[in-house]
Amino acid sequence: MGELEGIDPSVPPSGEGCAECDRDGGWWVHLRRCAQCGHIGCCDTSPEQHATKHAADTGHPVVRSFEPGEIWFWNYATEIAFEGPDLAPPQHHPIDQTVPGPGPRVPADWQAHIH
């Protein structure tokens, strides 16, 4: 699979946080953006690992970090990190969003819940 397969630079992100965690009242450690459809999901350290589940459920193998200052891509199918094209803005979640986040939903013992 070529690096640009599975990437649509014109698609904006689905929101500012993990779509499923926001829907269900959950929380996340870091965010990942599907490079094909823009879905925002939580990372594999997060309790629910929605980015990986999205890749498995949809066949969209490429994500990009949705963290400020991080521009790397990851391909779940090849397990290779790489640099790719600029994606439609915004490039990351809001700077004032807590990590883990969102702040009001993160339990005090959050470290006991991560992978």
Side-chain angles (χ1 to χ4, degrees), residues 13-105:
S14 63
E16 296 181 347
C18 175
E20 291 82 7
C21 288
D22 279 343
R23 179 193 68 211
D24 299 338
W27 60 277
W28 55 81
V29 178
H30 293 116
L31 297 171
R32 306 296 178 238
R33 173 183 180 171
C34 176
Q36 188 165 339
C37 73
H39 173 271
I40 301 298
C42 53
C43 72
D44 285 351
T45 304
S46 301
E48 299 299 327
Q49 304 173 334
H50 288 122
T52 297
K53 290 176 183 175
H54 173 79
D57 291 347
T58 63
H60 298 169
V62 180
V63 293
R64 181 176 161 190
S65 176
F66 200 57
E67 296 297 317
E70 296 182 1
I71 58 171
W72 53 264
F73 287 78
W74 175 258
N75 186 319
Y76 287 106
T78 62
E79 297 187 349
I80 294 174
F82 62 95
E83 292 183 20
D86 288 337
L87 301 179
Q91 302 301 313
H92 52 77
H93 64 74
I95 297 290
D96 62 353
Q97 187 179 93
T98 61
V99 176
R105 298 196 311 239

